[in-house]
Amino acid sequence: DLLKYIKFDRPMSAPRRVAVIGGGIAGTLASLALRNRGINPTLIDLGKNVGGRLRGARRSKLNVDAGAPFLRAPKLAVMGLLEGEGLVRKWEGRFGLLGSRGGGFLPSSVVGGLSPNAMASNSEASAPPAVQPLEGGDSGDFCGFVSNHESPTFVGYPNNAALCPRICELASIETVSDARFLQAEMVAGGGWRLDVDVDDGGNSTNSNLLQNVVFDALILTTHDPVLAANTIECIARNEAEADTGDNSSSNSDIEERLHQLAHGLRSLQQTPRHAVFTWSGRFPSLNMPFDAASVPGSHLVQFLARESSKPGYVRDNSSDGNDNTDVWSAISTTALATDLLQRHGSNTQRACDEACNLISREVVPLLTAASTTTNAIPSPEEASAVCWRSAFPSRTLGLKEDSIILHPWRLAIGGDFIRALDTHSSPFEAAAMSGLEAGERIAALFE
């Protein structure tokens, strides 16, 4: 039992400090849990600001949430607290299912009980056989949008990209941005010292926050399980070096279990995460009976939404003050993203350009079929697409808990790749629950 081998004996008279690697929703909520328990977290992220996959709006040209398009986490009690602080708001739009060419719109209340495959059949009986059933990350019901319609749907305020930075600001969580985590080293007597490449742009503040700091615990919440595998293998090497005396047999068992866990994490990289494209396009204001819908019958688009229906949506500056337009967004199928990224190799921009053209041509007939008027839907006045390379895990460790904790070394691992894929309603909920649990479990070690 790993719990019997407590390695940390360094005095804890000074305020406890915990390094949290990865500034997405998992790392942010892990930091929040620590902060609420009187522990000082330092949240370290590769991006220019925290937010992870929620910060997609920074990459979009039409001010849309180019990462997660909505936030739904019925198991996450903290969502009510975030709503109370004004960090998220309920998106109370007209949601449902959109038929793939001529199928029209069906409200969630009508089709919410159908399985994804039944949705695909119901939306378009003549859909191409290649997409029945939908493969890979294309479940037929994007993130359970229709099947879980009774759960509250939230969006960050003023957008999803602002959620993690605002949590950190309100909770006074120390953050270090533009920092690439390379490895962690165990310190004699207990603790972790980090090897981090910080791009401080001439400002040494970020670098100074990490210089010569020994952290009392470490939480890894990046979407790359290899970083966690490398850290666990570091622990195993330390155990091997200490493999002497009467406990050598027990230590060997521990080393073997550590290597097995590291191997399981590393094997996740053999099946890369699913990528998607997030498309956005501007149309003249349209009379549509819906605000957001899953599109199970399309082999190009799996989710379509009217951005201006979201609470707090702010029009981008390129509209020249014209309020007679609407910006729509769409999430591509993973099948389309896989095909384009394979064909265009390292030229991501070319893949994005082709995705933009294909999705634009797909969205027009989708909107035409659902329109409440007989007027033809024109092509978008402008459109763009960005690549969301690490959108969804293709497989997970399939564990029964949301996070991994190695108590003897005060190490926790969180992310949407821990628990079984069908446990949570969305990758957002999986990551959020995992980070929150990791923070709580590490905090409990100091009680």
Side-chain angles (χ1 to χ4, degrees), residues 268-352:
L268 295 178
Q269 287 296 93
Q270 297 174 5
T271 51
R273 295 176 67 91
H274 290 306
V276 295
F277 290 101
T278 298
W279 171 94
S280 54
R282 184 192 309 283
F283 291 87
S285 292
L286 305 173
N287 291 319
M288 289 291 153
F290 74 100
D291 296 308
S294 283
V295 193
S298 172
H299 64 290
L300 299 180
V301 171
Q302 56 177 323
F303 184 75
L304 184 62
R306 185 168 63 92
E307 289 295 314
S308 55
S309 68
K310 295 180 178 180
Y313 174 76
V314 178
R315 294 179 181 273
D316 64 289
N317 295 328
S318 63
S319 61
D320 297 325
N322 180 10
D323 291 335
N324 295 321
T325 62
D326 273 329
V327 172
W328 288 77
S329 66
I331 303 294
S332 79
T333 59
T334 62
L336 174 64
T338 299
D339 176 61
L340 293 182
L341 291 172
Q342 286 178 347
R343 286 200 285 113
H344 293 291
S346 61
N347 195 332
T348 304
Q349 186 56 54
R350 184 174 295 176
C352 288

Side-chain angles (χ1 to χ4, degrees), residues 59-289:
R59 303 191 310 269
S60 67
K61 295 181 179 180
L62 295 176
N63 197 33
V64 306
D65 285 319
F70 60 87
L71 313 176
R72 189 181 281 168
K75 299 177 186 176
L76 192 65
V78 76
M79 290 299 289
L81 299 176
L82 297 179
E83 184 183 17
E85 292 291 337
L87 302 181
V88 299
R89 291 187 179 183
K90 285 182 181 177
W91 183 17
E92 297 178 317
R94 300 162 296 169
F95 303 147
L97 175 77
L98 196 61
S100 177
R101 304 289 178 109
F105 172 73
L106 293 173
S108 295
S109 58
V110 175
V111 295
L114 295 176
S115 68
N117 283 342
M119 289 182 190
S121 299
N122 192 59
S123 69
E124 180 55 73
S126 61
V131 298
Q132 295 183 353
L134 299 170
E135 298 179 351
D138 307 324
S139 67
D141 181 18
F142 179 70
C143 292
F145 186 71
V146 175
S147 56
N148 295 321
H149 70 278
E150 295 182 353
S151 300
T153 303
F154 294 93
V155 292
Y157 185 80
N159 53 47
N160 291 343
L163 178 58
C164 291
R166 292 192 67 197
I167 291 174
C168 292
E169 180 182 2
L170 289 177
S172 298
I173 295 171
E174 182 179 75
T175 62
V176 179
S177 56
D178 284 319
R180 181 181 294 277
F181 171 73
L182 302 176
Q183 63 180 4
E185 175 187 0
M186 295 182 65
V187 177
W192 292 94
R193 182 174 286 114
L194 307 183
D195 184 4
V196 178
D197 182 14
V198 180
D199 180 9
D200 54 30
N203 182 353
S204 61
T205 302
N206 274 353
S207 299
N208 291 340
L209 289 174
L210 302 177
Q211 190 173 12
N212 299 321
V213 175
V214 176
F215 291 95
D216 299 302
L218 175 63
I219 300 178
L220 301 175
T221 57
T222 73
H223 62 74
D224 183 3
V226 171
L227 294 178
N230 291 342
T231 305
I232 292 170
E233 287 170 348
C234 173
I235 296 175
R237 287 194 297 271
N238 285 355
E239 290 296 319
E241 293 171 0
D243 192 0
T244 59
D246 296 336
N247 289 331
S248 60
S249 177
S250 297
N251 282 355
S252 295
D253 291 342
I254 293 174
E255 293 164 34
E256 177 61 23
R257 293 175 64 185
L258 289 170
H259 283 302
Q260 289 177 356
L261 177 56
H263 175 75
L265 287 163
R266 198 175 294 279
S267 69
L268 295 178
Q269 287 296 93
Q270 297 174 5
T271 51
R273 295 176 67 91
H274 290 306
V276 295
F277 290 101
T278 298
W279 171 94
S280 54
R282 184 192 309 283
F283 291 87
S285 292
L286 305 173
N287 291 319
M288 289 291 153

Side-chain angles (χ1 to χ4, degrees), residues 8-16 216-217 410 446:
F8 279 68
D9 51 13
R10 186 160 57 87
M12 289 295 177
S13 56
R16 285 100 185 224
D216 299 302
R410 291 200 179 112
F446 297 109

